[in-house]
Amino acid sequence: MIYIAPSLLAADFANLQSEIKQMADAGANYLHLDVMDGAFVPNISFGAPVIAALRPHSNLIFDVHLMINEPIRYIDDFVKAGADIITVHLEACQDLDATIEKIKRREMRCGVAISPATPVEKLLPYLPKIDMALIMTVVPGFGGQALIPETLEKVRTVRRYAKNMGIALDVQVDGGIKTENVHLVAEAGANIIVAGSSIFGAKKPREVITNMRKIAKEYLEQEK
Ligand code: DX5
Ligand code: ZN
């Protein structure tokens, strides 16, 4: 199944409530929430209080992407704020196993992300323990960048590995994805598509979401 996850980072921050409603009306499945700490990544975005404030206004799955150092310190804050999925970066955790365990103990869906510079082999041993692998298709920190084509091979490797091991795994991609290139990530095996500027920047987000889903479905099915 394909899920489209608009990234709130590209929304109008002065009108978040209406922006997320617009995404739900446009057929989005998830709301991707990029939390940045100004340390793991150079940018600062928003944190748990903003997510908690949005929670009563949306039934979308809240997909929280933590780009913060030692996220284990803040898992409970994001659980309380109403996250459904919590994704941490492999590079940001001293004890990734403990971090995964903490997320799972709170009965959250758990994702682990790798940045473009991180070899995919580092992620593979964790796949049986998690619900979602996030392959960053740009260097994390900013919206509106171009997809790095070399990252697609990692998507392929993760999907192949999960298939061979018989693991039901969601594979998410994030960064630089638009209608014109969504076939590439789906063909590689991604089934959760994050897109910020290409959806929020569109005149008709519904059309973009519908087209992306249709194309991704076609290509993901071809792969199977
Ligand atoms: C980048 C973030 C992405 C970003 C995607 O660090 O993790 O979620 O918002 O934005 P676009 O789709 O504009 O590249
Ligand atoms: Zn993200």
Side-chain angles (χ1 to χ4, degrees), residues 93 116 182 203 223:
C93 301
V182 71
K203 277 205 185 79
E223 166 77 0

Side-chain angles (χ1 to χ4, degrees), residues 7 9 32 34 36 65 67 136 140-144 174-176 194-197:
S7 165
L9 200 60
H32 185 81
D34 287 305
M36 303 178 177
H65 177 193
M67 285 164 273
M136 289 303 298
F142 299 92
D174 182 9
V194 177
S197 38

